[in-house]
Amino acid sequence: MPGQALRRGCLSIAGGLLLWEILTRLLLENELLIPPPTSVLRSLWKLTLSGELNRHLSATLFEFVCGFSTACIVGILLGYLMGRYRWFDDLMDPWIATLYSIPVIAFVPFIIIWFGIGLFSKIIVVFKITAVAIMLNTAAGIKTIDPVWLELSNSLRLSPWETTYKIRLPAALPYIITGMRLGVGRALLGVIVAELMAANAGLGYLLRDASETWDSPKLFVAVVLLAAMGVGSFILIRKGEQKLAPWRETAEW
Amino acid sequence: MAVPVLELRNLTKEIPAAGQEPFVIFKNISLTVNEGEFVSIVGPSGCGKTTMLRVINGLLTPSSGQIFIDGKEQKGTDGDLVMGFVFQGASLLPWRTSLKNVLLGLEGKKPPQEAGQIARSHLNLVGLSGFENHYPHQLSGGMQQRVNLARALAVDPRILLMDEPFAALDAQTRTFMQLELLRIWSQAKKTVIFITHMISEAILLSDRVVVFSRRPGRIRSEFAVPLARPRDIDIKSDHRFVELENVVWKQIEEEVKASRESSLI
Ligand SMILES: Nc1ncnc2c1ncn2[C@@H]1O[C@H](COP(=O)(O)OP(=O)(O)OP(=O)(O)O)[C@@H](O)[C@H]1O
Ligand SMILES: [Mg+2]
């Protein structure tokens, strides 16, 4: 009953907002601590009208989309090679292990020094985080392919190229999508951290700007938008998964 | 006139082992299968039947010996697609619908429209029209094996290799699929090598039953099945059927016993 689940979800959010509004109005004098939802809405409205919201939102989205899509391409390509060729896997492994174990926060200052405070440095951050997750998962998917499918491919005399895109890649697709799903959450975190540290636009920048000016409603706007972006990208990936891999029962998350 | 389609000459497969005698899976198999003939191979488990089928199909290289199809020697997986293989387990691609699974061997080899027609007509042949857009997980085990069969037949092979295609089915479905295979075979008119553990299945379906020895597998004996076609389920109570079943069973029993004794030593 997806309709019912959705209705209950909306009802729950509406109820929560109402409670929040009532509590903040009744108990708190100071909007600085927790602004009531109506103030947040007013702030959102103001930011939308001034065009500021559009600027920040599109900056973050742009960084995210660019970084994510290049990471998908590069991650799948390198992951495929790692899965297929042992020597390539061995060459890549130490680098990936190192890259993977250094926290993003430690990376960001370097990336900003190298690539500046503009959009490009954030694209790099998103790319780095997502590409590694997709690469490792693609490699795992390619390695664990059922040997019967490869025999089948040989028995039907498929060419190596056909074997790649008709057998190996579809077989690894569930893994690739898992990599994307892991990447999304962390990439979102990465891009915000980078924007918090140094930027001239973006939701992270908005967040810092709001906190420096003690503008709680604006701070909340940024947080809510971030949450919306996270949820939105999860839904997109899930929809994409259903479209790309309709044979799979919908995955848990 | 019997026209040979497949000819195996002294086929041997062994796996080299460092510092030891090589592990011999089967040895000196010579077998001729004629046009339109249905030949079953029975033998104790582990005697090398699946391996032999893989070698014939080119998935493994023989250690020695030759394989000819229509007089042409087969080497590895080069060359034309002249064999259809139905695998022991479920080998359908879960990301492809029935139709697309059948299309797998046709794509790029035939114009799309023609390929589609061929695939549909083969799904129809195995009794699955209306299930073209179902994914494997939406089909029963018997239906999945029908798709496997349709996929192997769709490429119009000279010979069909079937490795225990019904082993995973329940008894009832299995009997039903045997009768279906009789019908499909009489329509498709293919030369078939069929591997099974079930002697009655071998006799019901075949023109000839080949009994393998224990590993290293050799051909122990061959029996022509003296039963007229078309056959149906009643034939199982025919005295010739029962006698042949007993003779083959005794031989396999001997092989199994002997291999147990040799492994006890
Ligand atoms: N690559 C391999 N390396 C080592 N041993 C192998 C290899 N492939 C097969 N064998 C061995 O060869 C023997 C024959 O295997 P095969 O699968 O051909 O038997 P089978 O007759 O099909 O058995 P079953 O009836 O149980 O399916 C087995 O003992 C198996 O362990
Ligand atoms: Mg076998």
Side-chain angles (χ1 to χ4, degrees):
Chain A
M1 290 271 168
Q4 198 174 21
L6 191 70
R7 219 164 339 146
R8 284 191 185 136
C10 291
L11 212 66
S12 165
I13 288 182
L17 286 176
L18 195 68
L19 198 67
W20 174 9
E21 180 80 34
I22 292 169
L23 286 179
T24 44
R25 294 245 174 249
L26 287 181
L27 302 176
L28 289 170
E29 295 285 284
N30 194 344
E31 281 212 350
L32 190 61
L33 285 175
I34 302 177
T38 40
S39 312
V40 178
L41 260 176
R42 204 180 309 122
S43 174
L44 178 70
W45 184 238
K46 267 197 341 229
L47 283 167
T48 313
L49 283 186
S50 69
E52 223 181 320
L53 185 81
N54 186 26
R55 186 166 75 91
H56 296 307
L57 199 59
S58 52
T60 301
L61 272 177
F62 180 78
E63 293 156 359
F64 191 74
V65 169
C66 284
F68 194 77
S69 46
T70 38
C72 285
I73 296 167
V74 174
I76 291 172
L77 202 74
L78 293 182
Y80 174 79
L81 294 174
M82 284 167 65
R84 277 309 300 287
Y85 305 107
R86 193 55 214 262
W87 60 269
F88 191 71
D89 197 24
D90 293 342
L91 286 183
M92 295 293 285
D93 199 49
W95 297 100
I96 289 178
T98 319
L99 273 178
Y100 209 56
S101 50
I102 302 175
V104 196
I105 303 196
F107 252 105
V108 174
F110 287 107
I111 290 177
I112 286 165
I113 291 170
W114 295 332
F115 299 103
I117 63 161
L119 299 179
F120 191 62
S121 56
K122 280 72 180 185
I123 295 177
I124 299 281
V125 170
V126 175
F127 173 82
K128 180 257 156 190
I129 295 170
T130 330
V132 173
I134 294 176
M135 213 183 295
L136 288 173
N137 277 279
T138 307
I142 296 286
K143 278 181 205 163
T144 54
I145 185 168
D146 188 339
V148 172
W149 295 339
L150 297 179
E151 288 210 314
L152 171 73
S153 160
N154 272 335
S155 140
L156 288 170
R157 309 294 192 253
L158 301 190
S159 66
W161 168 242
E162 281 178 306
T163 309
T164 299
Y165 80 94
K166 288 184 184 169
I167 311 276
R168 288 185 204 272
L169 284 178
L173 193 62
Y175 288 79
I176 297 174
I177 290 171
T178 304
M180 289 180 181
R181 218 188 290 148
L182 287 174
V184 162
R186 292 211 231 116
L188 210 54
L189 182 72
V191 81
I192 298 310
V193 168
E195 284 175 351
L196 272 173
M197 284 189 179
N200 40 34
L203 291 180
Y205 173 83
L206 184 67
L207 212 59
R208 196 184 57 186
D209 180 49
S211 74
E212 278 169 1
T213 54
W214 301 91
D215 188 343
S216 296
K218 203 163 153 185
L219 206 57
F220 265 76
V221 169
V223 170
V224 167
L225 286 176
L226 276 174
M229 254 185 88
V231 172
S233 48
F234 267 110
I235 289 175
L236 267 181
I237 288 204
R238 211 190 188 180
K239 283 262 180 283
E241 185 173 4
Q242 280 163 357
K243 187 131 184 64
L244 283 171
W247 70 91
R248 288 182 80 219
E249 306 298 328
T250 330
E252 70 302 330
W253 36 316
Chain B
M1 247 317 274
V3 183
V5 172
L6 174 77
E7 226 189 310
L8 308 179
R9 284 192 206 152
N10 286 319
L11 211 56
T12 298
K13 176 72 184 175
E14 45 190 38
I15 295 177
Q20 287 174 28
E21 292 280 287
F23 182 84
V24 184
I25 298 183
F26 57 82
K27 205 172 166 111
N28 286 333
I29 306 265
S30 293
L31 182 71
T32 304
V33 182
N34 291 324
E35 175 94 60
E37 203 181 4
F38 196 119
V39 174
S40 285
I41 295 176
V42 292
S45 187
C47 72
K49 305 179 296 292
T50 298
T51 311
M52 187 188 76
L53 226 50
R54 287 204 180 107
V55 170
I56 296 175
N57 196 215
L59 305 175
L60 296 171
T61 49
S63 307
S64 63
Q66 293 158 299
I67 303 149
F68 296 90
I69 287 197
D70 293 323
K72 221 176 122 200
E73 187 167 6
Q74 304 293 308
K75 293 262 184 204
T77 50
D78 318 331
D80 295 338
L81 181 49
V82 289
M83 291 176 255
F85 202 128
V86 180
F87 289 87
Q88 192 162 358
S91 65
L92 293 179
L93 302 177
W95 55 87
R96 285 180 166 237
T97 59
S98 317
L99 185 69
K100 292 250 173 147
N101 262 291
V102 178
L103 273 170
L104 188 64
L106 300 167
E107 289 163 349
K109 300 188 174 85
K110 303 259 183 210
Q113 189 129 26
E114 198 191 331
Q117 262 170 15
I118 295 174
R120 273 171 214 284
S121 75
H122 280 89
L123 277 179
N124 188 30
L125 175 68
V126 300
L128 278 186
S129 36
F131 291 90
E132 286 85 355
N133 297 322
H134 283 59
Y135 285 93
H137 72 90
Q138 298 168 314
L139 301 174
S140 70
M143 288 159 122
Q144 292 185 15
Q145 279 309 41
R146 286 168 192 258
V147 180
N148 269 327
L149 183 58
R151 180 170 63 193
L153 282 170
V155 298
D156 194 21
R158 287 292 289 148
I159 185 163
L160 191 61
L161 310 173
M162 304 181 76
D163 188 5
E164 301 195 43
F166 306 146
L169 305 179
D170 62 87
Q172 213 175 344
T173 313
R174 184 164 191 166
T175 308
F176 188 62
M177 286 301 290
Q178 290 164 0
L179 299 174
E180 276 290 279
L181 183 58
L182 277 175
R183 173 185 69 77
I184 293 162
W185 178 74
S186 72
Q187 280 176 259
K189 299 192 170 47
K190 289 288 172 204
T191 309
V192 180
I193 294 190
F194 186 94
I195 289 179
T196 178
H197 271 122
M198 200 187 244
I199 300 165
S200 64
E201 183 172 86
I203 297 174
L204 174 68
L205 296 172
S206 316
D207 299 312
R208 190 150 49 112
V209 177
V210 175
V211 182
F212 263 42
S213 73
R214 63 186 182 277
R215 195 183 60 76
R218 282 161 291 106
I219 293 180
R220 176 177 164 142
S221 50
E222 286 185 33
F223 299 91
V225 179
L227 300 164
R229 292 184 191 269
R231 299 173 185 165
D232 63 27
I233 194 83
D234 299 332
I235 216 165
K236 287 191 177 182
S237 46
D238 188 305
H239 69 98
R240 289 167 299 179
F241 189 105
V242 180
E243 278 159 26
L244 186 53
E245 196 175 0
N246 281 329
V247 172
V248 174
W249 171 243
K250 291 241 165 62
Q251 297 203 350
I252 293 181
E253 201 181 20
E254 270 176 41
E255 293 295 334
V256 173
K257 268 192 189 142
S259 75
R260 277 219 197 98
E261 275 156 23
S262 66
S263 68
L264 283 178
I265 298 166

